[in-house]
Amino acid sequence: MGKTVTIVRNVMEANERRAGKLKEYFDGGKILCLNLMSSPGAGKTSLLERTLTDLKGEFKMAVIEGDLQTDNDARRVAATGAQAVQVNTEGGCHLDSSMIEDAIAVLDMKDLDILFIENVGNLVCPAEFNLGEDHKVSLLSVTEGDDKPEKYPLMFHLSSVMLLNKTDLLPYVDFSLDAASAHAKKLNKDIEIFPVACRTNEGLNAWYDWLRKARASKL
């Protein structure tokens, strides 16, 4: 048992060291780095497609796409004109800082304003691994239970923002925006919450305004 604890501690400590160096790198380049986390199918890629398309006249942006297999999401993101690099974890349930180091080595980071990291779809492990990001951003789709923040607290406790996605489906699902927001606020009183719908553009301007402020804070 002692050996197992030691191994786990060493893995986490090594990740933290790399993450610290990544944070220094992003700060030195005045790059806003965001770690997007959610369960599979919550809409991270759709949100990125809209964000990259709508803000491409304002910012130079790039995306690191994390998935178990395929480059489907990276191809969708690249179609917006943004840089994209795919990281396949081959079964791993999260990205770690060494994967981010490898990914930025193949991106053109010169004059980059915002780097989005789309983590592997998972409500548990991605929150445990620091990637050197400025903010964690969690997405919760209204097609999921509104008690998800209560059931998976770490992700929402650590997130600066929670996007309540696919609100255009609210008439057809049993989901309470108030309940989900209350659960998240109980975990993190400072979390900012934006109801959004990528298909109808609902709430996206509030999300974009937050991005502008977060980016300005890096200058």
Side-chain angles (χ1 to χ4, degrees):
M1 180 63 71
K3 290 183 179 179
T4 302
V5 172
T6 300
I7 291 169
V8 171
R9 182 184 298 121
N10 289 343
V11 167
M12 299 302 289
E13 288 176 351
N15 186 79
E16 284 298 315
R17 286 195 298 272
R18 291 192 182 96
K21 292 179 181 178
L22 284 167
K23 184 66 166 62
E24 291 177 2
Y25 174 79
F26 296 140
D27 287 348
K30 299 180 180 179
I31 300 167
L32 174 66
C33 181
L34 303 176
N35 183 359
L36 305 185
M37 307 177 297
S38 78
S39 60
K44 295 188 299 298
T45 309
S46 294
L47 177 79
L48 283 173
E49 286 177 307
R50 292 309 309 262
T51 301
L52 295 167
T53 299
D54 292 347
L55 299 185
K56 63 184 176 182
E58 293 185 49
F59 303 116
K60 181 179 177 182
M61 297 173 282
V63 179
I64 297 172
E65 281 286 348
D67 266 314
L68 274 68
Q69 298 285 344
T70 82
D71 63 350
N72 294 349
D73 290 347
R75 285 189 284 107
R76 286 173 58 185
V77 166
T80 69
Q83 291 188 83
V85 60
Q86 184 72 49
V87 177
N88 288 132
T89 64
E90 303 296 337
C93 59
H94 62 275
L95 296 175
D96 63 32
S97 55
S98 66
M99 297 174 185
I100 303 305
E101 287 178 335
D102 291 342
I104 64 174
V106 299
L107 287 171
D108 177 9
M109 302 294 289
K110 182 177 174 56
D111 299 323
L112 194 69
D113 297 310
I114 304 176
L115 174 65
F116 295 99
I117 301 171
E118 182 177 345
N119 220 312
V120 178
N122 185 329
L123 285 173
V124 182
C125 301
E128 298 176 351
F129 283 79
N130 185 359
L131 304 179
E133 70 271 15
D134 294 291
H135 300 280
K136 289 179 168 63
V137 176
S138 57
L139 278 76
L140 177 61
S141 167
V142 303
T143 57
E144 304 173 75
D146 52 32
D147 62 347
K148 282 294 189 293
E150 189 175 37
K151 294 174 70 174
Y152 300 92
L154 183 62
M155 179 173 293
F156 299 93
H157 171 67
L158 296 177
S159 291
S160 300
V161 171
M162 177 173 73
L163 294 162
L164 293 172
N165 197 23
K166 305 184 184 181
T167 53
D168 51 319
L169 298 179
L170 279 172
Y172 313 105
V173 296
D174 184 15
F175 186 98
S176 169
L177 293 179
D178 289 341
S181 299
H183 289 314
K185 285 287 187 180
K186 186 176 180 181
L187 294 164
N188 178 358
K189 63 182 179 60
D190 296 320
I191 195 170
E192 298 200 51
I193 300 171
F194 303 118
V196 298
C198 295
R199 287 181 180 272
T200 63
N201 297 332
E202 177 186 347
L204 290 177
N205 285 333
W207 160 239
Y208 297 160
D209 285 343
W210 182 87
L211 281 176
R212 293 181 181 107
K213 291 176 183 176
R215 165 58 186 158
S217 72
K218 297 286 291 189
L219 300 178

